[in-house]
Amino acid sequence: KKAVNEIYENLQAPTRMNRLLQGDVGSGKTAVALCGMFMAVKSGYFHTIAHLDMYRWIARSCERFKLRTAEFDLSLHEEAIRELFGEMEKRGIALEINTHLMASTGIAEDIYPSPEVMRIAREYDLKYKFGSDAHHKGHVGFGRDIICKTELFKDCFCKPV
């Protein structure tokens, strides 16, 4: 509750927010992050929401360093995600489809949002934007051609392939 209140106060402030949220497994970090995204959508300051399921990147990073992480259970947060997408639809806020993780792993399913979350998003009339979070020029636009060939993404922002 304290973290959610602080995020709300930060969104009201004239300065940029830079926040690290940490806690034990199961302490509610994902729920706080979803609350923060919902507040961002309702604030009117944002036109795109990105990295909705950043937990996947964090889990992969932890695996590389042999650190244990909890599995993300979408069913625990599906209602909040649906509410977020409904609000985004109502306000015309886009959802970023990002291939940064795919560029690192080479695995076609490693996109944000995950295919599971994207299936929920497709139930709403959302706008979509493509991002690759390129850290070097070889990754600019990486993966767009791959995801444009998939049923789940082909009509988000892709011309017929």
Side-chain angles (χ1 to χ4, degrees), residues 25-49:
V25 171
S27 65
K29 297 178 298 295
T30 303
V32 170
L34 285 169
C35 283
M37 286 183 214
F38 197 82
M39 286 186 275
V41 166
K42 290 190 107 177
S43 74
Y45 297 138
F46 301 89
H47 57 80
T48 304
I49 296 296

Side-chain angles (χ1 to χ4, degrees), residues 64-83:
R64 273 197 322 233
F65 297 106
K66 309 282 189 254
L67 300 173
R68 193 174 67 86
T69 60
E71 287 293 315
F72 178 79
D73 184 353
L74 179 61
S75 66
L76 296 175
H77 304 287
E78 185 173 341
E79 184 178 335
I81 289 170
R82 287 182 179 282
E83 189 174 346

Side-chain angles (χ1 to χ4, degrees), residues 126-137:
L126 297 177
K127 298 175 185 176
Y128 298 96
K129 294 191 178 182
F130 176 82
S132 58
D133 285 352
H135 292 234
H136 59 77
K137 63 183 175 182

Side-chain angles (χ1 to χ4, degrees), residues 1 11 14 21 24 31 37 41 51 58 72 76 89 91 113-114 123 135 137 141 144 156:
K1 186 174 178 179
L11 282 169
L21 182 63
D24 292 334
M37 286 183 214
V41 166
H51 298 296
I58 294 167
F72 178 79
L76 296 175
E89 176 184 48
R91 295 172 181 268
S114 67
E123 297 174 21
H135 292 234
K137 63 183 175 182
R144 184 178 177 142
C156 293

